[in-house]
Amino acid sequence: MPASKTARERARAELTREIKDEARRQLAEVGAHGLSLRAVARELGMVSSALYRYFPSRDHLLTELIIDAYNEVGEAAERADAPSAPPRDRWLRIWTGTRDWAKRNPHEYALIYGSPVPGYRAPQDTITPAGRVPRALLRVMEAADLAPASPGPPLSGELAEQARRIQAALDTSLSEADLLRLVTAWTHLFGAISFELFGQYARTADPADAYFAYSAGQFADLVGLP
């Protein structure tokens, strides 16, 4: 009985993988807004009712693809890190590893960082995977002797409260000002990648290798890395 159950589990896992692989192929052709469970079932030679036993709706399938993509880019960032290296080198490695994954997987990148899918609302399940890249950058900052933030106006009440929520969510001792520096850098990392992948650097910073390396260094300065 246990062997039979294990075989069924293996068969289910394999078919789930095939469904998601076909869905990713369709992402490249029609985008997330055009993803259809019926089309996926048809390409796999399944009846729709059979596929619904694996994914009850298109949104369930989208959520699985989104979680997979967040985990994959997070793993790429974490693999690129070298904890024994100097903080600035670790930072640059994470930026580069994240960009390299995005360039290898432009459709998965567009799914998580492109235009929102009409009618789709991401559930709580996506939050932890989505935080893997900023957490990798956070670990670099936590391990470094950061230079003080540039002096400026005091944080507004709303911004200070937002920083405290981030502090609690990430369970970090970094100051509110340092966390806001991290958020600024994290935002620019994905903004720079999006500009590159979506063709916004045409006739300016294209190819973007030199500008991306420059940006990574500038934001290492911004967050106070030695």
Side-chain angles (χ1 to χ4, degrees):
M1 187 70 170
S4 175
K5 182 178 180 181
T6 300
R8 287 197 298 270
E9 289 174 345
R10 287 199 302 268
R12 183 177 181 86
E14 177 63 20
L15 186 51
T16 299
R17 183 190 62 78
E18 291 179 9
I19 292 169
K20 292 199 287 187
D21 285 348
E22 174 58 28
R24 291 188 187 97
R25 190 188 69 77
Q26 291 193 21
L27 284 179
E29 291 187 353
V30 299
H33 66 282
L35 183 63
S36 161
L37 286 184
R38 289 182 180 277
V40 170
R42 183 172 59 250
E43 289 299 320
L44 293 176
M46 299 173 63
V47 295
S48 299
S49 58
L51 191 146
Y52 288 137
R53 291 199 293 269
Y54 291 81
F55 296 98
S57 70
R58 183 209 66 164
D59 285 3
H60 283 83
L61 178 54
L62 270 178
T63 295
E64 285 290 319
L65 297 178
I66 288 168
I67 290 173
D68 286 350
Y70 276 133
N71 278 324
E72 287 174 15
V73 68
E75 288 170 9
E78 292 159 2
R79 283 197 306 269
D81 190 10
S84 61
R88 182 173 290 262
D89 289 349
R90 294 179 64 189
W91 180 269
L92 299 180
R93 286 170 178 265
I94 291 169
W95 274 55
T96 300
T98 302
R99 175 184 180 235
D100 288 348
W101 178 88
K103 292 179 70 174
R104 290 193 305 270
N105 301 277
H107 304 294
E108 287 79 2
Y109 178 89
L111 176 63
I112 53 178
Y113 292 111
S115 300
V117 181
Y120 174 78
R121 186 177 182 85
Q124 290 288 110
D125 295 0
T126 62
I127 292 177
T128 297
R132 291 180 67 167
V133 173
R135 284 180 185 277
L137 297 172
L138 173 68
R139 287 191 288 271
V140 177
M141 293 177 66
E142 288 177 329
D145 184 14
L146 300 178
S150 300
L155 302 182
S156 69
E158 180 182 18
L159 189 54
E161 175 58 29
Q162 289 170 344
R164 285 191 290 271
R165 287 203 300 268
I166 296 169
Q167 197 175 46
L170 296 177
D171 190 24
T172 179
S173 60
L174 284 188
S175 70
E176 295 163 9
D178 288 338
L179 282 172
L180 291 174
R181 290 197 283 177
L182 168 63
V183 171
T184 302
W186 169 45
T187 302
H188 184 85
L189 166 60
F190 286 105
I193 292 172
S194 295
F195 258 52
E196 181 178 6
L197 290 188
F198 303 149
Q200 300 301 317
Y201 285 141
R203 291 187 291 278
T204 55
D206 182 29
D209 300 46
Y211 174 71
F212 188 84
Y214 171 83
S215 294
Q218 289 291 301
F219 281 89
D221 290 341
L222 175 74
V223 301
L225 293 178

